[in-house]
Structure formats: structure tokens, C-alpha cells
Amino acid sequence: MTNGKIKNRKKTLLVVVSVVLVIAIAIAGLNYFSVQNLLKKGNAYNKVEIENQLVPQKDENGNWYFTTDGDFKVMHLTDIHIGGGFMSKGVDEKALNAVATMVTKEKPDLVIATGDIAFPVPYTAGTFNNYSGAKAFANLMESLGVYWDVTFGNHDAECYSYFDRESIAEFYENEDYKYCLFQSGPEDVDGYGNHVVEVKNSKGIITQAMIMIDSQAYVKDNIIESIKGTYDNVHPNQVEWYESEIMRMDDENQKIDVDAETVNSLAFFHIPLVEMDDAWAEFVENGYENTENFKYVEGIIAEQGRPVCCGYGEDDLFEKMLELGSTKAMFNGHDHVNSTTFEYKGIVFSYGYSVDYFAYSGIDKLGSQRGCSMIICKPNGAFTIDKYNYYSDRYDIWD
């Protein structure tokens, strides 16, 4: 090869490298300004005026609890899907607006978001940065001044994201967030965010417990399993932790009232249990008629292909719930166009409405799946579930 050809190839390589570098710098700059604007947007909302707002405290076990002899209002949100990049600016702002609108209207005592707060998929959001989506949501909730909590979804910390689950968990535990009740949970239990928020009456009896569980992500933390959607299950030591928490709360109640029954609890996580798939299959096989085990309440299953995208393995969480008799309902997300609520073997399974404007192709043009669930916990341990569509007359739409 002549010197001239070598020089020409070097020049070509230099031009290619220069172009790539310029593009990378341009994208980094666009993302920086997009993130700054998104964070400012999150900080721009007015505080929600809640009369006699309940303020939680921490008990000797380090668990947050609220005290009330009246109703306790929980808003369930799921799958916010904030891209956090320059390519998702418009839909990210719509997601923040939707959350702010519903929270401002409902004035809940506690907001629980069951995963996929962030969606930093580079070919659609233009970024790998999962911190920016979490930060935007945190800024929003702190601006609204409403107590909030989260569980992890599969997209909150993908294997290709800048930050892992531990880092995002540490972020949510930031003491600067005075309204955030997230806790990473015991170090000897798998996952991040396994913790309990309690509601007590003036006597100190736990009338309702919200149990947050990390439903994990993929069976292996790699991009192949992420693309395939091979979802994991709740791990055995998490089930053991769940049982120990129920027993602890039972003991605490019985110290105050020896006749106290098993504590009432509700569970919140992202990926539905295998039993949700089993239950729906039983309903379908019976011609969409109730069975001895299954009682339909409301909503639809509209996912294409696999109707319920649960974990691919098995776990004993549902069996343990049946055994202990504490948890009366489970709330999850993950499948954005599923909205059904039903009862299976005496326990309620409830999909939350998604907020997502972004993750599913064309979902920003849809509306039937977008909204929130309001769970009213009664002083006697009973509860009600009402689901509200974002585009109903109930809300003033800001986008």
C-alpha cells in the first residue's frame, strides 16, 4: 500500500471519528438542557392543599406509620415512564402533568407508584440516564407536598442504564426528600425497597399495612433477557421477610389488644404474580364466567400475545398470603393496557392504570388505560378501590 493511500485512510478515519465525536457532544448537550428543563418542570407545580394533612412518624423498628381514626387515602400510580432524554421531552412533560393533575384533585394521604418511574431507552429517549427520570418524579412529588413511596419496576435500572438499583434506592432515600417514605429494606433480603408503611389508630393498633415488595426484573441481568422480557419472580427470602413482617405486626397489635386478629395488609409491587395469569386463564376457559375461585370486578385484559406478563418461574408469595390471611389485595402494574380487578381465592388482584405516554408504540394517542386507583382504607381494616380515568370529567386536563 502506498503512502498516499495510507494517508487518505487516516484522513477518512479522522473525519469519521470527528463526526462521531461531534454527534456525541451534541447529544450530550441536548440531553443536559432537556434534563435541566425537565427538573425545573417538576419543581414548578403548586403545593397541594390538604386540610389536616397526616404526617408520618418512624417507630422503634424504623418503619413509617400514620396515625388516624378516620379513612386513609392511598393513590396507586404505575408505569410513569419518564424517558429523561432530549427525544422524550414532550411525553415526559405530559406524564408529569397527568400525575400532578390527579394528585391535586384527589389529595391522597399517600401516593404509591409501583415501578417503571423511568424509561431511559436510548433509541427512543436519547439517553441511558435513569437518574433523570427518577429525579424529575421526585421533584414533582416534593413540589406537590404529598407523601409518596415507590417500588422498583424492570425499567427503573436496566443493565445498560447509568445507575443500578442500589444507586437509585440510595437516591430515593435522600433525606432532602421530606415527603418520600421509600426504604431500601433489609440488606439480607433480595431486592431493594422491601418495606412496610403502617396506618395506626389512636390506640396504637395497626389497622392497615402497605407492604412494598421488589418484584425483581429479569431472570438474568443482561440485555438479552431484557429484550426477551424473561421476567423474574419474588425470591424465597423475600417471602420469608413478608411472613416475619406480618408476624411482627400481629405481635405488636396483640400487646395492645390480646384479642386482636391478624393485621390487615395490602401488597404493592410491579410485575404481576403467576397466580394472576392462572386466575385469568381460569376465567377465560370458563367462557368469561365466574368460577368458584374467580370473581370478576371490573376492567379488561388488553395485552397482545401473553395477556399477563408475569414472572417465568414460581414463588410462594401467594401461598403464604393465603396461609397467613393478612393480605386482602395486591396492586401491580407492568402491563400498561391491562386494567382489570378481580378476586381470586379470596384475595383481590388489581392492575393500576398506567400513566405511560411513551413506552408502548402509539400509547400517547390512547387514553382508556391512563389514570389512577384510589384505595380508601377504613378504620376497621376494610378498603374500597375506585379507578379513575385521566380523561374523565373528574380532572382538568393540563396537556
Side-chain angles (χ1 to χ4, degrees), residues 169-396:
E170 289 176 357
F171 161 75
Y172 282 132
E173 285 188 305
N174 189 332
E175 292 182 358
D176 291 338
Y177 294 140
K178 62 177 290 187
Y179 293 99
C180 183
L181 306 188
F182 176 87
Q183 294 181 293
S184 290
E187 293 183 359
D188 59 349
V189 176
D190 291 345
Y192 295 92
N194 302 301
H195 66 287
V196 177
V197 176
E198 302 166 357
V199 180
K200 298 182 180 182
N201 62 23
S202 56
K203 296 179 181 179
I205 294 285
I206 302 168
T207 59
Q208 194 65 261
M210 272 62 71
I211 303 178
M212 320 300 168
I213 301 172
D214 183 356
S215 56
Q216 307 297 329
Y218 308 101
V219 292
K220 295 179 181 179
D221 188 23
N222 62 53
I223 196 166
I224 295 175
E225 302 301 341
S226 173
I227 293 171
K228 289 167 57 180
T230 312
Y231 301 111
D232 201 356
N233 304 82
V234 175
H235 292 184
N237 62 11
Q238 292 177 276
V239 179
E240 293 172 3
W241 168 83
Y242 164 82
E243 180 177 21
S244 69
E245 285 299 293
I246 300 300
M247 301 302 291
R248 173 188 64 78
M249 290 185 285
D250 282 350
D251 288 344
E252 289 183 16
N253 278 356
Q254 288 164 8
K255 286 178 183 178
I256 299 172
D257 179 359
V258 293
D259 296 322
E261 298 181 353
T262 297
V263 67
N264 294 292
S265 64
L266 307 172
F268 296 83
F269 44 83
H270 183 68
I271 299 174
L273 299 184
V274 172
E275 285 78 11
M276 195 168 207
D277 191 32
D278 294 340
W280 188 255
E282 182 175 313
F283 180 56
V284 173
E285 289 169 6
N286 198 48
Y288 294 92
E289 297 289 340
N290 288 343
T291 70
E292 181 180 352
N293 293 323
F294 185 102
K295 294 180 181 178
Y296 174 82
V297 177
E298 64 172 322
I300 61 173
I301 294 287
E303 289 285 327
Q304 299 298 310
R306 195 176 184 209
V308 176
C309 293
C310 56
Y312 272 75
E314 296 285 345
D315 62 66
D316 296 325
L317 181 60
F318 182 69
E319 288 80 4
K320 185 59 66 176
M321 289 177 174
L322 291 175
E323 175 189 331
L324 297 178
S326 168
T327 299
K328 302 300 192 296
M330 292 177 280
F331 301 87
N332 63 270
H334 189 53
D335 300 328
H336 303 193
V337 293
N338 288 352
S339 62
T340 189
T341 296
F342 57 77
E343 184 179 310
Y344 183 62
K345 297 185 178 180
I347 296 179
V348 173
F349 288 71
S350 187
Y351 271 108
Y353 278 146
S354 67
V355 174
D356 176 29
Y357 281 90
F358 183 40
Y360 283 21
S361 177
I363 201 167
D364 59 317
K365 304 294 192 301
L366 302 178
S368 61
Q369 79 298 333
R370 187 167 295 117
C372 68
S373 300
M374 289 303 300
I375 307 158
I376 310 301
C377 302
K378 303 293 183 177
N380 64 356
F383 64 94
T384 61
I385 306 170
D386 290 296
K387 295 185 179 182
Y388 298 115
N389 184 271
Y390 177 53
Y391 298 104
S392 65
D393 293 338
R394 188 177 183 86
Y395 303 113
D396 294 324

Side-chain angles (χ1 to χ4, degrees), residues 47-62:
K47 188 177 188 299
V48 178
E49 297 299 328
I50 301 177
E51 186 176 355
N52 300 318
Q53 185 177 24
L54 298 175
V55 178
Q57 297 176 285
K58 271 191 177 180
D59 64 17
E60 60 184 13
N61 300 304

Side-chain angles (χ1 to χ4, degrees), residues 66-99:
F66 292 83
T67 300
T68 181
D69 290 322
D71 291 349
F72 186 82
K73 297 170 64 176
V74 178
M75 174 183 279
H76 175 213
L77 298 172
T78 194
D79 296 273
I80 315 296
H81 280 265
I82 302 172
F86 75 96
M87 294 169 62
S88 60
K89 179 180 181 297
V91 289
D92 289 346
E93 291 183 356
K94 286 184 177 182
L96 294 181
N97 282 343
V99 172

